[in-house]
Amino acid sequence: GVMEKLGLGPEVLLQENPRLIYARLTGFGQTGRYAKSAGHDINYLALSGVLSKLGRKDENPYAPINLLADFAGGGVMCALGIVTALYERNKSGKGQIIDASMVKGVAYLSSFLWKSQNLGLWNRPRGENLLDSGAPYYETYKTSDGKFMAVGAIEPQFYEQLIKGLGLDSDKLPSQLSFSDWPEMKKKFASIFAQKTQAEWCSIFDGTDACVTPVLSFDDVALHQHNKQRSSFIKNDQEEISPRPAPLLSRTPAVPSLKRDPFIGEHTEEILLEYGFTKQEISKLYSDKVVEISKPKANL
């Protein structure tokens, strides 16, 4: 209802321009009991059911920072809705309103969890399933130098290469799918991984299909050979590192800006002047706290 109070609701604007695509991105959506309630990623994740699946055995559910509901279920789903509406407009010539709710977005994002329940992937308690740290071959393990390795050797042929790299004999081990042996196998794998450094494990598993990779920190990720070869990270003019835009389009690839991120309000005056506001009007907007203006200070 915020935009309606400003007289800029979708019905008003669509009367002005029927081709307009008006996206409304909220946590709980435009209707429902919680529609006007405050919330954050963890709340939207909780209400979607997804949070109940995240976490280790005998521990509280945990939220993976704020990537799932805010960015994946919210921003990406909303952007996809806009793209879909743009495509539809080519046929109908009409715009429409997009109700992008983070609760519904992240719930839909989790469709795999719902559809795979009867396949035996998620029918055990949290932290005891194949992909939620239950399986010894889908886990992270600490190395002797305090770093970590990520293991995702699900398929039998990949699991066999994991076992080989660890120096074990599969004939002397329980079946890969023996749930009751998983806790003991995790202890065995952990004790072996703890005997070598991350670099030593990389020298063993790089070039194999064991699905074992280093857990890279933000300090190391841009220096890794694979990421360097893919130019996956870029530096701006302040030497700050960030991910390169993805995915890569063959004909019209994104051209990343190498300038530093702007300060909040840095270009407010410049943009308002472009749109015909006078300096007096801008000063009034600033004094009324309608806009924020922040000029960068010169380094003398």
Side-chain angles (χ1 to χ4, degrees):
V2 175
M3 296 304 285
E4 281 83 354
K5 290 175 185 174
L6 297 172
L8 298 171
E11 289 78 11
V12 174
L13 297 187
L14 280 163
Q15 281 183 353
E16 293 282 328
N17 178 9
R19 289 175 56 83
L20 183 69
I21 292 162
Y22 192 114
R24 316 193 76 164
L25 176 56
T26 59
F28 296 113
Q30 296 298 320
T31 57
R33 182 175 181 177
Y34 288 179
K36 296 186 183 299
S37 299
H40 276 296
D41 188 288
I42 194 169
N43 307 115
Y44 313 138
L45 207 56
L47 205 64
S48 73
V50 176
L51 186 57
S52 71
K53 297 292 185 184
L54 305 180
R56 292 184 177 274
K57 181 181 178 181
D58 299 327
E59 293 184 12
N60 295 359
Y62 70 84
I65 317 182
N66 69 324
L67 292 176
L68 269 185
D70 281 355
F71 294 105
V76 174
M77 284 292 189
C78 184
L80 184 60
I82 293 169
V83 170
T84 305
L86 285 167
Y87 185 74
E88 192 280 334
R89 190 173 70 180
N90 287 336
K91 293 192 291 183
S92 68
K94 297 177 181 178
Q96 54 187 309
I97 304 164
I98 299 165
D99 177 0
S101 151
M102 294 182 197
V103 174
K104 289 182 74 171
V106 76
Y108 184 56
L109 193 70
S110 73
S111 295
F112 165 69
L113 305 186
W114 294 90
K115 301 293 185 181
S116 61
Q117 286 181 101
N118 296 328
L119 300 180
L121 292 179
W122 302 102
N123 57 346
R124 298 169 67 83
R126 182 177 63 250
E128 296 183 24
N129 298 280
L130 178 64
L131 301 177
D132 64 358
S133 79
Y137 47 88
Y138 203 90
E139 194 31 307
T140 56
Y141 293 100
K142 197 170 188 177
T143 57
S144 63
D145 54 346
K147 297 182 180 181
F148 295 88
M149 297 298 289
V151 176
I154 297 174
E155 290 79 0
Q157 66 272 29
F158 301 157
Y159 182 71
E160 188 58 40
Q161 294 202 38
L162 166 66
I163 295 303
K164 182 181 176 183
L166 292 175
L168 296 170
D169 184 349
S170 57
D171 292 334
K172 297 178 182 177
L173 297 175
S175 163
Q176 180 185 356
L177 295 176
S178 177
F179 297 121
S180 61
D181 291 300
W182 279 3
E184 197 57 40
M185 289 297 292
K186 285 178 74 169
K187 290 178 184 176
K188 183 183 286 289
F189 287 4
S191 68
I192 296 173
F193 272 108
Q195 294 169 17
K196 288 182 171 66
T197 66
Q198 187 187 70
E200 288 173 325
W201 285 119
C202 286
S203 68
I204 290 171
F205 286 112
D206 280 3
T208 75
D209 281 336
C211 301
V212 179
T213 49
V215 177
L216 299 174
S217 69
F218 272 27
D219 292 331
D220 299 332
V221 68
L223 302 174
H224 190 273
Q225 188 178 12
H226 177 80
N227 291 331
K228 285 170 71 174
Q229 290 168 348
R230 293 278 297 165
S231 300
S232 298
F233 294 85
I234 54 176
K235 279 186 180 179
N236 66 11
D237 56 12
Q238 306 288 306
E239 294 294 299
E240 296 168 330
I241 296 173
S242 62
R244 182 178 292 274
L248 182 65
L249 275 63
S250 64
R251 191 170 50 79
T252 57
V255 180
S257 170
L258 299 181
K259 295 180 180 179
R260 63 160 174 80
D261 292 341
F263 301 118
I264 293 174
E266 180 176 347
H267 302 112
T268 301
E269 186 174 3
E270 179 184 331
I271 291 167
L272 291 176
L273 286 170
E274 278 182 26
Y275 277 91
F277 287 82
T278 66
K279 289 210 169 191
Q280 291 75 18
E281 287 172 327
I282 296 170
S283 295
K284 181 74 166 56
L285 289 170
Y286 176 67
S287 63
D288 289 346
K289 297 185 177 180
V290 175
V291 299
E292 189 169 337
I293 297 176
S294 176
K295 294 285 186 184
K297 295 175 182 175
N299 296 318
L300 297 177

